[in-house]
Amino acid sequence: LVEFLRQLRPRVKTAILSNAWPGNARMMAEDFGLSSVVDDIAVSADLGFAKPDARIFQLALDRLGVAPHEAVFVDDFVVNVDGAAAVGIHAVHFRNTLQAIAEVNDLLAIS
C-alpha cells in the first residue's frame, strides 16, 4: 500500500488518518518515513476525537483542501467506512491489498 500511495502522488493528495496514541504521527512521519509518501498524517490522540466521528473526517478534508465527494477513504473497520460515507466520502472497506487498490483505482477513474 505504501508504494501505491507513492504512485498516486502528486496526481492526488493523500493522508493517513489513524486512531492511535500520542506521538504516533511523529513516529509514522519520521521513523517510518511516511511524510514523504503522504501529504498529511492525522492521529486521533492529537486531535481529541477519533474515527468514526464526523469531525475527524471533516478535519482531514479541510487539511487536504478537498470536498467530501472528491475524497476516497480506506479502512479495515466497517464502522469507520460507514462514518466516512455518512459525510459524503467515497469509502472502501479494506479486505486485502489487491481488492483495496482495485476499488480505489475504480473510484479515482470516475472522480
Side-chain angles (χ1 to χ4, degrees):
L1 283 178
V2 171
E3 185 55 35
F4 177 65
L5 286 172
R6 188 175 277 116
Q7 291 171 10
L8 290 175
R9 295 179 74 205
R11 185 171 58 103
V12 298
K13 296 177 184 177
T14 59
I16 295 172
L17 184 57
S18 178
N19 285 351
W21 56 94
N24 193 261
R26 186 212 51 80
M27 183 179 68
M28 282 190 257
E30 297 173 13
D31 297 348
F32 298 138
L34 295 176
S35 60
S36 67
V37 177
V38 297
D39 296 292
D40 190 37
I41 299 173
V43 173
S44 60
D46 300 330
L47 302 172
F49 39 85
K51 300 176 288 184
D53 189 317
R55 293 177 295 174
I56 201 164
F57 297 112
Q58 189 58 56
L59 179 77
L61 294 167
D62 293 345
R63 285 166 62 158
L64 290 175
V66 299
H69 72 276
E70 298 173 314
V72 176
F73 173 78
V74 178
D75 201 284
D76 55 342
F77 291 102
V78 173
V79 66
N80 296 335
V81 171
D82 292 344
V87 298
I89 297 171
H90 300 282
V92 173
H93 178 215
F94 179 93
R95 291 179 296 283
N96 65 65
T97 302
L98 292 177
Q99 160 267 327
I101 289 172
E103 288 189 42
V104 169
N105 279 330
D106 286 348
L107 287 167
L108 292 176
I110 63 168
S111 16

